[in-house]
Amino acid sequence: MTTHEYAHRRLRQAIMVGSIRPGESLTIRGIAEAMESSPTPVREALRRLSSEGALKVLDNRRIMVPKMTVERFGELIALRATLEQHAARRAVGHITERQIDRLVAIDKAQDEAIAKKDNAAALLLNQEFHRTLYTANPDQIIMPMVESVWLQLGPFLGIAMAHVAQLYFVDRHQEAIAALRKRDEDAVAAAINADICEGIGGFERAAIENLLRLAGQ
């Protein structure tokens, strides 16, 4: 892996798990020092992430996660739900019992991370659960689109994970697993949709406003 690709992947993952908070201002030099890297690969990584909508480069060469509006957040969640329900449906006809067992193990590990309040690990495991499900379809082409939405939502989902007990009451992953055992496409899609919406406290405007308030928006 080149230094440019390494810098991009590290920064991308940091954003996707909410390690960089919305509105937090960073510098190229500061990021490079934290990553023990030269500024050049960091600068290129930031340019790529900016083009993906994950970061905003300010006039003073500082970088920040863009501020979020209720309308934009709602649009991203709606898009995520649509894409992921489609991906889940397509995976049902391909997924094996061994892969479903893997989902059970991931969900258990996520529950343990949540209990330990290890929010970054919990969010990574949540992404691994969804990615493992969708990529069971060998012909899928949707993951880059899904991950683009995850990237833009990451800083806010990281905050939601910190408040998961007050936002999320039913383990929808367990529902998805049970539906996968039965090869029930509709039930799998419904569980994934509920998981996405309930993970932010609901899809109503008031729920989104509450999450953005928690994020200091």
Side-chain angles (χ1 to χ4, degrees):
M1 187 185 302
T2 66
T3 55
H4 286 72
E5 187 62 28
Y6 175 73
H8 178 257
R9 289 194 184 185
R10 276 199 63 184
L11 281 170
R12 195 171 191 266
Q13 185 176 75
I15 295 167
M16 288 177 73
V17 300
S19 294
I20 303 175
R21 291 184 65 88
E24 182 179 355
S25 180
L26 304 169
T27 65
I28 293 173
R29 182 182 297 277
I31 295 172
E33 289 177 354
M35 294 176 59
E36 298 181 345
S37 171
S38 67
T40 301
V42 170
R43 189 178 294 108
E44 174 61 20
L46 293 171
R47 184 194 65 77
R48 289 174 62 184
L49 291 165
S50 176
S51 70
E52 294 177 80
L55 293 172
K56 182 178 180 181
V57 180
L58 307 177
D59 292 341
N60 59 3
R61 295 191 177 183
R62 297 183 77 83
I63 301 96
M64 65 179 288
V65 172
K67 292 282 188 177
M68 183 67 75
T69 65
V70 173
E71 290 73 19
R72 181 166 176 259
F73 192 91
E75 185 70 10
L76 285 167
I77 288 294
L79 180 58
R80 184 184 172 198
T82 299
L83 290 172
E84 296 191 40
Q85 285 183 83
H86 171 85
R89 286 181 179 277
R90 295 285 183 167
V92 171
H94 300 278
I95 198 164
T96 65
E97 287 297 318
R98 185 174 181 177
Q99 288 170 315
I100 296 174
D101 290 341
R102 173 61 184 154
L103 292 176
V104 172
I106 295 169
D107 186 52
K108 181 181 178 181
Q110 184 184 0
D111 289 342
E112 291 171 354
I114 291 171
K116 295 176 183 176
K117 299 188 184 302
D118 188 344
N119 299 326
L123 192 49
L124 282 172
L125 287 162
N126 182 64
Q127 292 168 357
E128 184 180 353
F129 181 95
H130 288 259
R131 188 182 291 108
T132 300
L133 170 57
Y134 308 150
T135 56
N137 173 11
D139 301 315
Q140 64 81 26
I141 57 173
I142 204 168
M143 277 312 303
M145 290 179 272
V146 170
E147 291 196 352
S148 174
V149 177
W150 287 355
L151 186 61
Q152 295 178 70
L153 287 171
F156 304 90
L157 298 184
I159 291 164
M161 189 62 70
H163 299 273
V164 67
Q166 71 183 65
L167 298 175
Y168 197 79
F169 302 102
V170 179
D171 189 342
R172 300 298 183 179
H173 286 182
Q174 289 291 334
E175 289 188 354
I177 289 165
L180 285 166
R181 298 282 192 199
K182 298 175 182 177
R183 301 302 191 271
D184 186 336
E185 278 191 25
D186 290 339
V188 171
I192 291 300
N193 183 62
D195 180 55
I196 291 167
C197 295
E198 292 174 14
I200 61 166
F203 195 42
E204 296 80 12
R205 185 181 181 90
I208 296 174
E209 287 176 343
N210 179 56
L211 179 57
L212 295 187
R213 179 184 58 78
L214 293 172
Q217 298 293 285

